[in-house]
Amino acid sequence: MTFSSLVSKNFRNLADTAVYTDAKNIFLVGENGQGKTNFLEALYFSAYASSFRVAHDRELIRTGEKSCTVAAVLNGAVRNRIVTSIENNKKIINIDGKKIEDRKDILSIIPCIVFCHDDMLFVSGSLEERRWFFDQVQSLYDPLYVDDLRYYRRVLKNRNTVLKEYKDGSFNTSLLDALDQQLVHYGWNIMEKRSKSVQYFSHIFGPLYALMSGISGINIYWSPSWKRENEHVIIELLRKGRLKDLTVGTSLSGPHRDRYSFYKGTHEFTSQASTGQRRLLALLLRIAQAHCFSEITGVLPVLLLDDVLLELDPEKRKNFFNILPNYSQAFYTFLPGEQYEHYITNTLVYTVKNGTLTKN
């Protein structure tokens, strides 16, 4: 699946015109702040009806406007037109003229993997951000995992509400017992899948990092908050820890507290790694994600690469293209003056200025 064209209206600073992208490799060249990343964001928004940069949809709407729309025409897909709009603080998704009620239904149409500077948060940021990345990795190829996460988070929210009510003197023991059963049911499904997926991902990631950095033996470890014995044991553990949960008014254990870590042998690697090594970790997480997705699904993703080569020395830039997975289409952003023509030949090149893409 590939993007044939993209039309946006009132999206960020992008001009309200059609941009034709019927090529395997598209280079976007321009100074910072001209709209290169905004265009990648519009592609991502078409694929997932969300942004990889901001949490609030209203930030995607051009200043002074009340709504925005992105329409993408696709090649090689059963469904060939996705129109996504934000109107009156609501998101509206139409595929070939049919309204889509659940965003999950569009995840597999044109899978995109984005490489950007904020990926460093998956290495040096919070545990929550690292969990988010690995949840995204699995969600792309396992829609049932998306459901498990949704149900777990819904039950967790309800459980935390009950725990907070304890301080108001309205604690409901029987309700908490029922929520514990549900929480463990969905949490157990998540744990089972995380256990398998992290092993598979680490098997791909480690050799890639060794090839790019010369440092071998890097593995990714998953440390579950609940020890994996059985559901009945976990329910009993929740009951024993209930007093602590009630005291703080929140659930102190569960998959929402799981940890992912980078190790070299038996030693944690991230805290000892240099800035360059951590940047490489972040970059290779995305490459491993693309490899993992393609191997499991047999589908080639679209890659969105936002200035990722700037942080690599010439030798690593060369190696980077050697370890990229197969892809259906790739969009790269570059600053003027970069020797981008040396990386890939037969590309479609656009100059980006003030939100307008001009074909070279």
Side-chain angles (χ1 to χ4, degrees), residues 111-123:
C112 293
I113 294 176
V114 63
F115 299 66
C116 64
H117 296 296
D118 285 346
D119 292 347
M120 271 290 286
L121 294 174
F122 305 143
V123 176

Side-chain angles (χ1 to χ4, degrees), residues 139-304:
S139 296
L140 283 184
Y141 63 79
D142 185 358
L144 294 180
Y145 186 73
V146 178
D147 288 335
D148 287 330
L149 285 173
R150 282 179 173 178
Y151 296 141
Y152 177 84
R153 289 166 180 165
R154 189 177 305 161
V155 175
L156 178 66
K157 181 179 179 180
N158 291 337
R159 187 177 192 269
N160 287 340
T161 298
V162 174
L163 292 172
K164 289 181 175 69
E165 289 174 350
Y166 174 68
K167 294 184 177 181
D168 300 327
S170 55
F171 171 57
N172 188 325
T173 302
S174 60
L175 179 56
L176 193 55
D177 288 339
L179 289 171
D180 284 357
Q181 293 276 352
Q182 297 175 46
L183 193 74
V184 172
H185 172 72
Y186 296 119
W188 181 264
N189 291 342
I190 292 170
M191 290 169 62
E192 288 283 283
K193 293 182 177 183
R194 283 180 178 175
S195 175
K196 296 176 182 178
S197 65
V198 73
Q199 291 181 42
Y200 188 86
F201 190 92
S202 185
H203 178 73
I204 294 173
F205 180 84
L208 289 174
Y209 194 81
L211 183 62
M212 285 289 287
S213 68
I215 301 175
S216 60
I218 302 297
N219 292 294
I220 300 169
Y221 288 151
W222 165 67
S223 302
S225 172
W226 293 336
K227 303 309 175 186
R228 299 177 64 253
E229 297 181 52
N230 60 62
E231 294 183 49
H232 299 294
V233 172
I234 295 173
I235 289 173
E236 185 60 30
L237 289 173
L238 277 179
R239 287 176 180 164
K240 289 181 179 179
R242 187 173 289 180
L243 181 58
K244 290 183 179 179
D245 289 353
L246 289 167
T247 301
V248 298
T250 193
S251 301
L252 295 174
S253 68
H256 62 289
R257 299 274 182 165
D258 286 359
R259 294 171 175 262
Y260 290 89
S261 305
F262 300 93
Y263 271 76
K264 177 175 170 55
T266 59
H267 300 284
E268 200 278 329
F269 178 70
T270 309
S271 59
Q272 303 173 0
S274 67
T275 300
Q277 289 170 335
R278 290 196 297 270
R279 284 174 178 165
L280 191 57
L281 283 172
L283 178 62
L284 292 177
L285 281 175
R286 289 301 194 184
I287 293 180
Q289 180 184 17
H291 276 286
C292 185
F293 174 81
S294 296
E295 290 182 13
I296 291 174
T297 65
V299 175
L300 300 181
V302 173
L303 305 183
L304 311 175

Side-chain angles (χ1 to χ4, degrees), residues 301-314:
V302 173
L303 305 183
L304 311 175
L305 303 104
D306 191 18
D307 285 344
V308 295
L309 298 181
L310 287 176
E311 299 174 347
L312 301 179
D313 59 44

Side-chain angles (χ1 to χ4, degrees), residues 81-85 92-100 106:
R81 182 176 172 83
I82 304 176
V83 181
T84 309
S85 303
I92 304 170
I93 307 169
N94 285 276
I95 300 179
D96 294 336
K98 181 180 178 181
K99 187 176 180 180
I100 302 300
I106 71 171

